[in-house]
Amino acid sequence: MGMVGTVGLVLHPQRDSKKAIDTILRWAGDKGATVLGLPEEVGRIDCTAVPVDATTLVERADLVVGLGGDGTMLRTMRLLAGRPTPILGVNLGRLGFLAEINVEELAQTLSAIDGHAYSIEPRMAIRSVVAGVDVTAFNDIALVRIPGDGLAAISVTPSGSPFVRYAADAVIVATSTGSTAYSFSAGGPIVSPRVEAVLVVPAAAHSSFNRALVLPADEEVTLQVLPTSGRLAVEVDGAVVGHLCPGDSVTVAAWPGAANVVRLGTTFYERARRKLRVDGSAEVD
């Protein structure tokens, strides 16, 4: 990233981001840089950011700042998927995995970006077609049972080889990024974002085989809804995008390096320890 001439803002729908926005506008003003925002977001705040549509923001920004938390960062990453534009995450509230700094650190971080004192962490996405719609996830695509409609009965076929049939509350296909989200709560492993892997994890498996699979990024995996399954919801990064019935299937493919996150020195392990409260057993203290 050369000189930052245009900064894009993506804002949390509720949290107060005024202090952070003022800091960015001041920095941009000093440099003669333009600040762009989405109309429905900057319209809520009295500021001089230029309202533009999502396509324009994505095409013009040299740097995009996501103000909020991990949810806002995931949305920003999906918005920019496939572009080399660096994304800086600023936490407004709870500490996250994807956001790198807090509002207090923003001014010095922008100076560090000017001085190229940062690194870029590529993040893999996964994509699929659900009910005719292209979807991209940076955490996970999950096939989830609907209460009262019966279990998720799903066959998993990696790279054309039928491997396992799960009966579960959900079957989650996750990236390494998503290994600390829904997949983690279902008992999946913690995977460093430097590992380009696709995880397939059953949640509350009723089948005798209940282990997660870790698949390589260069193989597609197909999940087919079996005749014994209930109707399922499909969640993409936590939002329902459609439903599947017995006989339907989805094929998930990895998309390496689909987004680039700005890092200034925190490590994945520090963030994971802090967020997941990884302290180990009382036996070792």
Side-chain angles (χ1 to χ4, degrees):
M1 179 168 63
M3 235 289 281
V4 177
T6 306
V7 184
L9 296 179
V10 178
L11 310 183
H12 186 279
Q14 280 91 38
R15 285 188 206 146
D16 176 20
S17 44
K18 182 164 170 42
K19 185 179 171 189
I21 292 169
D22 288 346
T23 305
I24 293 164
L25 289 168
R26 252 198 323 276
W27 174 70
D30 291 345
K31 293 154 42 82
T34 307
V35 179
L36 306 176
L38 300 169
E40 65 276 14
E41 294 184 356
V42 293
R44 285 185 288 119
I45 296 152
D46 183 22
C47 74
T48 55
V50 182
V52 293
D53 63 26
T55 309
T56 307
L57 185 139
V58 165
E59 285 174 358
R60 287 184 49 198
D62 303 312
L63 168 71
V64 174
V65 182
L67 298 170
D70 282 350
T72 303
M73 276 297 280
L74 288 166
R75 188 161 59 90
T76 307
M77 290 159 79
R78 288 194 303 271
L79 192 66
L80 287 158
R83 293 199 164 250
T85 317
I87 302 168
L88 172 66
V90 182
N91 277 310
L92 307 173
R94 294 188 309 279
L95 294 171
F97 280 104
L98 293 165
E100 177 71 355
I101 58 159
N102 297 322
V103 177
E104 294 68 41
E105 303 165 283
L106 183 53
Q108 74 218 51
T109 298
L110 294 170
S111 301
I113 287 173
D114 280 336
H116 297 282
Y118 65 94
S119 60
I120 290 289
E121 183 179 75
R123 290 280 177 149
M124 190 186 94
I126 49 178
R127 40 187 177 181
S128 186
V129 179
V130 178
V133 180
D134 290 319
V135 297
T136 297
F138 279 91
N139 265 353
D140 44 51
I141 297 172
L143 276 53
V144 184
R145 71 171 293 214
I146 297 163
D149 275 14
L151 289 174
I154 292 169
S155 69
V156 180
T157 302
S159 198
S161 298
F163 186 71
V164 65
R165 296 154 79 101
Y166 291 120
D169 280 356
V171 175
I172 304 153
V173 183
T175 62
S176 303
T177 298
S179 73
T180 51
Y182 191 8
S183 166
F184 177 78
S185 68
I190 294 175
V191 182
S192 160
R194 292 183 54 204
V195 180
E196 291 189 334
V198 175
L199 314 179
V200 183
V201 184
H206 300 243
S207 41
S208 53
F209 183 88
N210 63 355
R211 299 306 176 92
L213 312 178
V214 182
L215 307 174
D218 60 0
E219 292 178 4
E220 293 188 340
V221 59
T222 298
L223 276 59
Q224 179 159 31
V225 185
L226 295 169
T228 53
S229 182
R231 183 166 167 266
L232 306 178
V234 183
E235 292 183 359
V236 175
D237 283 348
V240 175
V241 298
H243 292 85
L244 298 178
C245 296
D248 293 340
S249 68
V250 290
T251 297
V252 179
W255 185 4
N260 292 294
V261 176
V262 172
R263 293 284 176 223
L264 293 120
T266 70
T267 71
F268 166 70
Y269 305 106
E270 288 162 354
R271 292 192 307 275
R273 272 189 67 105
R274 185 184 69 196
K275 185 79 182 170
L276 301 174
R277 311 209 193 305
V278 179
D279 282 321
S281 166
E283 301 295 314
V284 296
D285 294 333

